[in-house]
Amino acid sequence: MKDPIRVAVTGGAGQIAYSLLFRIGNGEVFGPEQPVILQILEIPQAMDALKGVVMELQDSAQPLVHDIIATDDANVAFKDANWAILVGGKPRGPGMVRADLIAANGPIFLDQGKAINDNAADDIRVVVVANPCNSNCLVAASNAPDVPKDRWFAMTRLDENRARAQVADKAGVLSTEVTNVGIWGNHSASQFPNFEEIKVGGKPATEVIDDRGWFEGDFLTTVQDRGKAIIDARGKSSAASAANAALDTIRSLITPTAEGDWFSAAVYSDGNPYGIADGIFYSFPLRSTGNGDWEIVEGLELSDYAKEKAAATQDELLKEREAITDLL
C-alpha cells in the first residue's frame, strides 16, 4: 500500500465537511489504494461537535484512514498537508450583503493562508469552498507567498454540475451525455455558464435544444440562483451537492481530462488567453494533465454575447478585490 497523504479539511463539524470526510476516507477521491490522514480544523466553540464527527469516522472503520487529527489550531491542521479543502467560513447572516460577507471572511482566510504557507507540504494544493470562494481564495493565496498561485482553486464545479443537470433534464438525456460545460467568472449570480460551448451527445446543445430564449433565460437564472432556491426550499444551504462538487474538483485535477472535454474551477487569472484582468481568481474551462497540473482551454471563439457576460463577472470580481485590498 502507498504511503498516506495528508488531507486538511476546515469547518470539520459543518454540514459540507460531514458529507465529504467519509467519502475521502472510503477511497472515492484518491483511489482504493491511497491511504489518507485526515487533519480536521474547527473553531474552539465547535470542537465538541467535531469530536462527534471523529467518533463516527472511527466507527466507520475505514481501512484507508490511517489517522485522524482534530484541532482548532490551523498550524496543526495544515502541517505537512498535501491537499487542503477550505470549507469553514462565516455564513451570511440576516441583513448581510455580499460585501459584508467578503469583509467578514477575509481575516479568516488571511490567517489560513499564512498557516498553509508556513506548515503545508511542498506539493500542497488548495480548493476553497467557503463563500465568497473566489475572493476568499485570493486572500488566502496572497498570504501564502511560498505556495505557487497555480496550486489554488476556488470551487465553481457546483455551478458546472448544476448547469449539466439542467441541460440533461431539458434534453431528456443522462448527465453523462452532457460535456464541455464551462463556468466563467465568479461563483455568484454574475457567473456565466457558457451554453454556447456545451455539447449533448457530441452535438451543440443549442442545436439539440432549439430554444435560445430558454438558455438566456431560465437556464442562466436557474444555475445562477440555485443556491438561494435550495435555501428557500430546504431551509439550509447546499451541503451534499457542495461536498460532491469539491470532491469532483479534486478528482478532475488528479485525473487526465478526457480528450475534447473540460471542467471548471476558478484559477489565478494572470496570463490567461481571454483578456480577463490579471490578479483575480476567475473560473475558466480547464483541462488537467493529471497529478494536480492543469491548463486553461485555449482557442475558444467567444461570441459578443459571451464576451459581455465574461466581462460582467470579471468586473464584479474586481470590485470584490477592491474591498479586500488591505488583506492582500
Side-chain angles (χ1 to χ4, degrees), residues 2-192:
K2 302 176 182 178
D3 292 333
I5 60 173
R6 294 178 179 268
V7 182
V9 178
T10 72
Q15 290 191 85
I16 295 175
Y18 190 76
S19 294
L20 66 78
L21 285 165
F22 298 87
R23 295 175 65 183
I24 294 172
N26 70 16
E28 189 175 328
V29 183
F30 298 103
E33 297 182 357
Q34 179 58 68
V36 296
I37 296 172
L38 299 174
Q39 303 182 173
I40 312 172
L41 180 68
E42 255 302 353
I43 58 176
Q45 305 93 296
M47 286 303 293
D48 284 343
L50 180 55
K51 288 178 183 177
V53 175
V54 171
M55 285 189 280
E56 286 204 73
L57 285 165
Q58 293 169 335
D59 293 348
S60 298
Q62 294 173 318
L64 291 174
V65 178
H66 281 207
D67 197 7
I68 304 168
I69 299 167
T71 180
D72 60 6
D73 185 339
N75 294 302
V76 174
F78 296 122
K79 179 66 175 175
D80 297 327
N82 307 105
W83 283 89
I85 309 173
L86 307 189
V87 177
K90 187 172 181 178
R92 182 178 294 182
M96 291 179 69
V97 297
R98 190 172 181 86
D100 298 326
L101 192 64
I102 294 168
N105 276 283
I108 297 171
F109 286 85
L110 183 153
D111 291 340
Q112 291 185 2
K114 290 180 177 179
I116 289 170
N117 187 77
D118 295 344
N119 296 280
D122 290 342
D123 65 349
I124 182 69
R125 286 173 172 80
V126 185
V127 176
V128 180
V129 176
N131 286 320
C133 62
N134 298 61
S135 291
N136 288 342
C137 191
L138 180 61
V139 171
S142 297
N143 285 278
D146 297 334
V147 180
K149 291 292 194 297
D150 63 1
R151 305 282 186 83
W152 297 83
F153 310 89
M155 189 181 82
T156 56
R157 184 57 172 267
L158 180 54
D159 309 304
E160 176 189 333
N161 289 347
R162 288 167 170 167
R164 175 175 287 107
Q166 291 299 312
V167 171
D169 183 64
K170 184 74 170 178
V173 301
L174 296 176
S175 61
T176 52
E177 291 293 303
V178 181
T179 61
N180 301 91
V181 183
I183 303 297
W184 293 71
N186 200 4
H187 175 62
S188 74
S190 77
Q191 66 172 274
F192 177 50

Side-chain angles (χ1 to χ4, degrees), residues 168-222:
D169 183 64
K170 184 74 170 178
V173 301
L174 296 176
S175 61
T176 52
E177 291 293 303
V178 181
T179 61
N180 301 91
V181 183
I183 303 297
W184 293 71
N186 200 4
H187 175 62
S188 74
S190 77
Q191 66 172 274
F192 177 50
N194 188 1
F195 56 83
E196 295 179 338
E197 297 289 345
I198 296 175
K199 295 181 180 178
V200 177
K203 300 178 181 179
T206 51
E207 293 181 9
V208 176
I209 304 170
D210 187 16
D211 188 349
R212 179 83 185 194
W214 177 79
F215 279 111
E216 293 188 11
D218 287 349
F219 169 73
L220 281 186
T221 57
T222 297

